[in-house]
Amino acid sequence: MQGVFEEKGPSNRYVAEKEGQMTQEPIRLSGKKTSTFIDKVKELLPDGGNLNLCLTCGACSSGCPATGLEGMDPRKFLRMAALGMDEEVTSTPWVWMCSMCQRCIYVCPMKIDIPRLVYFARQSWPRETRPKGILGSCDMALKNDTCSAMGAGEEDFQFVVEDVLEEYREAQPEFAEMEAPIDKQGAEFFVNQNSREPVTEPDELLPLWKILHTVGADWTYGSKGWAAENYCMFLADDESWKHITQTAVKQADDLGCKVFLNTE
Amino acid sequence: MVKSVVGEENFIDMVPNRSNNYCCGGGGGFLQSGYKDARLEYGRIKDEQIQATRADYCVAACHNCHAQIHELSEHFGGHYGVVHLWSIICLSLGILGPNERTYLNDDLKTVNVFHPETEM
Ligand code: SF4
Ligand code: SF4
C-alpha cells in the first residue's frame, strides 16, 4: 500500500504503523444491504462525488493525518459506507477528527470526495449531539449580526478598535494617520477578523493595520459580519452557515466594497 | 512572500509541500471539538515535518493553524516559534512594536524594535 503513493518525510513509518494496527480487525457485515446514507450523499454531489469509483488503492489513507484515530481511515470509512454500514458510518466520532482538509481528494486517482461524505455524516448527527464546543460557537455566532463565535457585539468591537487605534497613533507617531474604519462606505476592501484578536489579544490587530496603511489600501471592517470564523460550517448546519456568510456578504455589498478579504 | 521577508537563505520549506502538504489539524472545527488528544495525534505528522526542517520559526497564515501549531510546538517539545505572517512582515519593515511580539521567541524579542520606549 505504501508503494503506491510514496510519501517523503518522517511520517511514513508512523502512518504505516497506524495502518498495520488497524487492519487486524475484520469488518463483519450483517448480510443484508440496506444502504441509504451513501446513496443520499451521491444524489447531492456533482457526479455523485465519484463515491462508487474507489480502487481501494489506499493513497488517501496513507497520507491522511487522521488515519488510525478511532480505528478509522478515509478508505475504510468510504468502504464501510459503500457496504451499507450506515449505523457505524453515521455514529463514529471520527467524522469530527477528519479536518476536511481535502488532501485525500488531491491524491486520489479517482478524485473521490471523501470529506463531503464526512460532512454529510456530521450532518446525520442530531444537532444537539454534535460536539459541544462547535455547537456552542455556532449558536453564539447566531446571536448577533457580528457573527462572532465569542459573542463580541458591535459596540464591543467598535470600542476595542477605536481604543487600540488611538493608543497606537500616539505611541507610534509614524502611524498618526493610520485608520481602522468600521462601515466605511465605498471602501475597496472588506476585511474580516478572527474574534480572538479583538477579544483576547488586541495588540495583534496592529500588524495587519500597519501593513494595510503602509500599502495605502482603502479598507473597512463591517459593524455586522466582521467576525471571520464560521463554526456553523464545521457543525455541518447548512442554514446557519448560510446565514452567517450572507450576513457578512450583505454588509460588504451594502458598503459597496469590491473585494472581500478573508483573513481566516 | 516569506522568502522576501526572511531572506531566501533563511527559508526552509517542509516536505512534502504545497498542495501535497499535510493539514495541521486546527481546521474543520477540530480546535473546538473537544477531542484534544486526537487533535494532537493528528498534528504529529505536521510537527514532525516542522521539526525535520530544524527551522527556528514556523509561519502560519491563519488563526486556526497558528493556535494548533503553537500547541504542537509545546506538546511535542519542539519549542519552535509560531508566528503570524503579518508579524514577520512588520518585523522586516522595522515597524513591529514591543507589544506586538507575543509570539516571537527571545532571539527576536529585541531585534529591530519599533518605538522600544513604549514597551508595557
Ligand atoms: S478513495 Fe481514492 S485514494 Fe482512497 S482508496 Fe479509493 S481510489 Fe484510492
Ligand atoms: S479530508 Fe479528512 S479524510 Fe481526507 S485527508 Fe483530510 S483529514 Fe483525511
Side-chain angles (χ1 to χ4, degrees):
Chain A
M1 184 188 303
Q2 287 292 304
V4 174
F5 182 72
E6 202 183 334
E7 300 280 7
K8 288 194 184 129
S11 44
N12 232 350
R13 181 177 41 79
Y14 170 68
V15 173
E17 275 169 15
K18 284 206 296 189
E19 287 212 307
Q21 287 161 13
M22 262 175 18
T23 47
Q24 288 162 13
E25 255 184 68
I27 292 171
R28 299 195 192 287
L29 299 174
S30 62
K32 201 168 59 171
K33 185 176 161 163
T34 53
S35 171
T36 53
F37 175 68
I38 199 169
D39 297 329
K40 271 190 217 144
V41 175
K42 274 189 217 159
E43 276 168 31
L44 292 167
L45 297 181
D47 297 326
N50 292 344
L51 292 176
N52 53 358
L53 298 184
C54 178
L55 312 168
T56 68
C57 68
C60 51
S61 299
S62 81
C64 166
T67 286
L69 301 175
E70 294 291 320
M72 191 60 78
D73 66 83
R75 179 180 62 170
K76 184 172 174 183
F77 185 74
L78 177 65
R79 292 319 308 148
M80 290 171 88
L83 290 168
M85 301 171 73
D86 289 14
E87 170 65 27
E88 290 83 347
V89 166
T90 57
S91 66
T92 172
W94 185 78
V95 296
W96 305 100
M97 299 170 185
C98 153
S99 68
M100 301 193 283
C101 70
Q102 306 201 337
R103 190 182 193 278
C104 50
I105 307 179
Y106 181 74
V107 300
C108 174
M110 308 309 287
K111 298 291 163 237
I112 294 173
D113 198 343
I114 291 174
R116 287 299 287 267
L117 191 64
V118 167
Y119 181 87
F120 287 110
R122 287 186 180 195
Q123 211 163 57
S124 72
W125 288 42
R127 193 175 188 278
E128 67 282 3
T129 66
R130 299 176 200 172
K132 275 197 203 66
I134 304 178
L135 181 67
S137 294
C138 171
D139 284 345
M140 186 60 91
L142 294 172
K143 280 204 173 121
N144 68 59
D145 283 344
T146 62
C147 303
S148 167
M150 294 175 89
E154 292 181 25
E155 281 165 26
D156 304 324
F157 184 62
Q158 187 182 356
F159 175 80
V160 171
V161 167
E162 286 176 0
D163 190 53
V164 176
L165 180 67
E166 195 184 304
E167 180 192 322
Y168 273 87
R169 278 172 159 182
E170 236 168 78
Q172 303 178 355
E174 291 85 343
F175 289 94
E177 306 287 305
M178 182 167 70
E179 293 188 69
I182 298 174
D183 290 343
K184 181 181 175 190
Q185 199 69 40
E188 185 173 4
F189 299 103
F190 184 92
V191 176
N192 63 13
Q193 190 84 50
N194 187 297
S195 288
R196 207 133 32 120
E197 277 105 33
V199 176
T200 65
E201 39 185 21
D203 287 315
E204 285 292 318
L205 291 165
L206 266 295
L208 176 61
W209 295 354
K210 288 180 181 177
I211 293 165
L212 291 168
H213 176 76
T214 303
V215 300
D218 180 17
W219 68 281
T220 187
Y221 289 126
S223 56
K224 301 179 197 311
W226 57 261
E229 64 277 4
N230 191 340
Y231 276 93
C232 297
M233 173 174 74
F234 303 142
L235 190 67
D237 176 347
D238 287 346
E239 276 309 305
S240 305
W241 171 9
K242 186 170 156 196
H243 167 79
I244 285 182
T245 305
Q246 277 180 336
T247 303
V249 169
K250 180 174 183 307
Q251 188 71 4
D253 279 345
D254 288 351
L255 293 171
C257 301
K258 291 190 194 68
V259 182
F260 191 107
L261 266 187
N262 188 1
T263 62
E264 185 52 44
Chain B
M1 159 111 60
V2 177
K3 277 185 190 164
S4 70
V5 167
V6 302
E8 186 109 19
E9 69 283 9
N10 291 317
F11 176 72
I12 314 161
D13 211 345
M14 41 188 110
V15 179
N17 50 51
R18 297 180 182 255
S19 301
N20 210 15
N21 211 324
Y22 295 108
C23 169
C24 64
F30 220 158
L31 275 172
Q32 298 278 31
S33 70
Y35 298 111
K36 184 180 169 188
D37 293 344
R39 171 166 58 77
L40 293 169
E41 196 52 33
Y42 183 115
R44 182 189 291 274
I45 292 182
K46 173 86 340 181
D47 178 75
E48 287 177 351
Q49 267 188 297
I50 297 168
Q51 292 210 38
T53 66
R54 307 180 69 91
D56 297 321
Y57 285 90
C58 173
V59 181
C62 102
H63 213 133
N64 264 306
C65 304
H66 182 273
Q68 166 77 347
I69 300 171
H70 197 256
E71 199 175 334
L72 295 177
S73 165
E74 314 247 300
H75 178 75
F76 291 108
H79 299 296
Y80 44 84
V82 186
V83 284
H84 291 289
L85 185 54
W86 56 49
S87 308
I88 55 157
I89 293 175
C90 286
L91 179 65
S92 75
L93 292 170
I95 55 173
L96 193 69
N99 307 317
E100 301 149 57
R101 297 179 176 234
T102 310
Y103 299 107
L104 296 188
N105 285 346
D106 287 345
D107 57 349
L108 288 180
K109 272 269 198 277
T110 55
V111 172
N112 213 9
V113 183
F114 189 56
H115 288 285
E117 76 285 356
T118 58
E119 178 162 3
M120 290 210 283

